[in-house]
Amino acid sequence: MPDYEQVDTEIFAEPEVAEEEVVEKPKRVLSEKQIDALARGRAKVAENREKKRKLLLKKKKDEDFVKQAIEEKIANRVEKRAKLKSEREQSKRDKLLEKKRQAEEQQGNSQKIENWVKEREKALDNCETIEEFDELSGHLDSITEEDILDNKKLHTKLNKIYALYKV
């Protein structure tokens, strides 16, 4: 029977390596034509690389320009929408304020008319005779609703009418 320990050491043992001799090869010497051709090739490769770089930069600038133009259009649209929205809201506010003002004006007008009716009744109650009552009533009937709503006109007409009776 074989000795397994001996077999294992033979199989797994590192082979003895002899020191290798390092052989130095002489560098290749290029002729002037080869050196010129190599320089032209390198220059051409560098030129092509530069062209590609410029082309990429140009594409990027164009893409940036297009992107910026699109962003500006979007911003303009958003701004216009916001402006239209604010104009609509302002228009709604203006309409509501106008309705409120008209309601207040009508309320004020009705109040003026009520005050005028009371003033007229007081003036007619102060009359002592029927003729005086009829004459004053005729003068007061000449005052229109437009006169009642305009304080200056009303006071002017009333002063003229009252001046007739004070004399």
Side-chain angles (χ1 to χ4, degrees), residues 71-108:
E71 288 173 355
E72 286 177 4
K73 281 185 179 180
I74 290 171
N76 286 341
R77 286 181 184 170
V78 168
E79 186 177 315
K80 284 180 183 178
R81 286 181 184 164
K83 186 176 179 182
L84 286 173
K85 186 176 180 181
S86 67
E87 286 175 357
R88 283 189 211 124
E89 289 174 355
Q90 184 64 36
S91 175
K92 286 179 184 178
R93 278 191 223 114
D94 290 345
K95 286 178 183 177
L96 290 173
L97 287 174
E98 181 62 26
K99 284 183 180 180
K100 184 178 178 182
R101 187 192 60 77
Q102 286 176 351
E104 289 173 354
E105 186 177 303
Q106 284 181 342
Q107 186 178 10

Side-chain angles (χ1 to χ4, degrees), residues 129-143:
T129 64
I130 294 178
E131 293 86 22
E132 189 180 323
F133 179 87
D134 289 339
E135 188 179 343
L136 182 59
S137 177
H139 287 299
L140 293 177
D141 288 342
S142 69
I143 296 176

